[in-house]
Amino acid sequence: MARRQNRSMDAAEYALMDAVEDRMWWYRAMHGHALRALAHLPEDARILDAGCGTGGFLARLRAAHPQARLFGLEYAQEAAARAASKAGTHVAAGTVNALPFPSAYFDAVVSLDVLCHGGVEEAAALAEFRRVLRPGGLLVLNLPGHEWLRSAHDRRVHNARRYDRTRAATLLAGAGFESPASRHWNSLLLPLMIVQRKLRKSDEGAASDVAPFPPWLDASLYSVCQLEAALLGAGLRFPAGGSLLATATRPSDPASP
């Protein structure tokens, strides 16, 4: 891999994330999709947020599953410390390429917009996710959608790749997971995303899209995401979207490597 394995996001991006992830429409929508994927876990499930950033999802997970045993992992030590404080749980500093947790330990592993990062080795990270999951355990990934959506935002946050449903399914099956499934979201807002990223912010120096929004605009965008979530819950599937939620399970055979 040409990029440094341990490359992390800029400190400024972590600061932005920390400041807005509890209220920004996009984080709230993504966290909602991930929470719904985890809804059927047992109350005392062990759950790992691999690449937890500054802890926004861990905090939401704590509120939704107060009896769960939660763990986080983040490469940047300062972000890991902030996540531990925000979520009130253990957060290790380390890399998803070599998780510092025992094998077959977790009921679920969640990793939100991490596999795409330039410092992540896809094959190593997926092998580690599989290793630390118990047989039958659930993997939940959020991934940025479609290579043709690559923009200055990706460069700013060090995204090395974007995904579609076929690529996600192939990766998960190749890593030894079963029952891979994926769906696009942030689809109703995709035309606005194309205008924002491909037309208005195509220059190399453009900032990422993580930022506080005017309350009226944030509420409007989140309302669209709620409508979209309801449509997805009713069984509708969109052919494209700014993001992709993928799930899969570790095979139930305890003898499987």
Side-chain angles (χ1 to χ4, degrees):
M1 175 178 289
R3 295 172 183 262
R4 289 173 54 194
Q5 178 178 333
N6 62 358
R7 189 177 191 178
S8 63
M9 289 198 310
D10 297 339
E13 290 297 324
Y14 278 116
L16 282 171
M17 178 192 299
D18 192 23
V20 305
E21 64 181 340
D22 63 335
R23 62 183 188 277
M24 182 182 168
W25 66 273
W26 185 83
Y27 281 108
R28 292 166 66 198
M30 177 177 67
H31 294 167
H33 285 293
L35 287 173
R36 285 185 286 274
L38 298 168
H40 300 297
L41 290 177
E43 290 185 358
D44 62 347
R46 287 188 184 131
I47 306 172
L48 171 65
D49 185 354
C52 63
T54 54
F57 180 68
L58 274 175
R60 290 188 188 277
L61 193 56
R62 171 64 69 208
H65 296 269
Q67 304 304 316
R69 290 167 285 178
L70 304 183
F71 299 79
L73 176 126
E74 174 56 42
Y75 178 78
Q77 291 188 357
E78 290 185 4
R82 178 60 182 141
S85 175
K86 186 181 292 187
T89 193
H90 174 71
V91 177
T95 171
V96 295
N97 298 329
L99 294 173
F101 299 103
S103 298
Y105 189 72
F106 294 105
D107 297 288
V109 172
V110 184
S111 194
L112 305 179
D113 281 10
V114 174
L115 198 66
C116 56
H117 193 271
V120 173
E121 299 173 9
E122 279 182 326
L126 288 170
E128 282 292 273
F129 295 161
R130 188 178 185 277
R131 179 184 66 80
V132 301
L133 278 170
R134 64 166 177 79
L138 175 67
L139 176 66
V140 178
L141 301 174
N142 196 73
L143 305 165
H146 310 297
E147 281 292 343
W148 51 265
L149 273 175
R150 182 176 295 279
S151 69
H153 170 83
D154 296 281
R155 293 187 290 273
R156 189 73 179 86
V157 299
H158 305 307
N159 281 347
R161 45 204 162 254
R162 302 182 69 93
Y163 299 80
D164 57 29
R165 294 176 63 190
T166 299
R167 179 175 182 181
T170 300
L171 279 172
L172 290 169
F177 289 93
E178 64 182 12
S179 303
S182 60
R183 62 180 184 269
H184 285 291
W185 65 274
N186 203 8
S187 300
L188 297 180
L189 292 171
L190 184 58
L192 291 178
M193 184 178 176
I194 293 172
V195 170
Q196 173 74 0
R197 292 195 176 181
K198 305 301 286 187
L199 301 180
R200 293 186 57 205
K201 287 192 172 182
S202 58
D203 61 289
E204 289 284 338
S208 78
D209 294 344
V210 177
F213 282 62
W216 67 268
L217 179 57
D218 197 282
S220 298
L221 295 171
Y222 185 59
S223 293
V224 175
C225 290
Q226 287 181 302
L227 170 61
E228 182 177 87
L231 294 173
L232 287 167
L236 182 65
R237 293 295 178 263
F238 296 98
S243 292
L244 182 76
L245 191 85
T247 60
T249 57
R250 176 175 173 173
S252 296
D253 180 4
S256 64

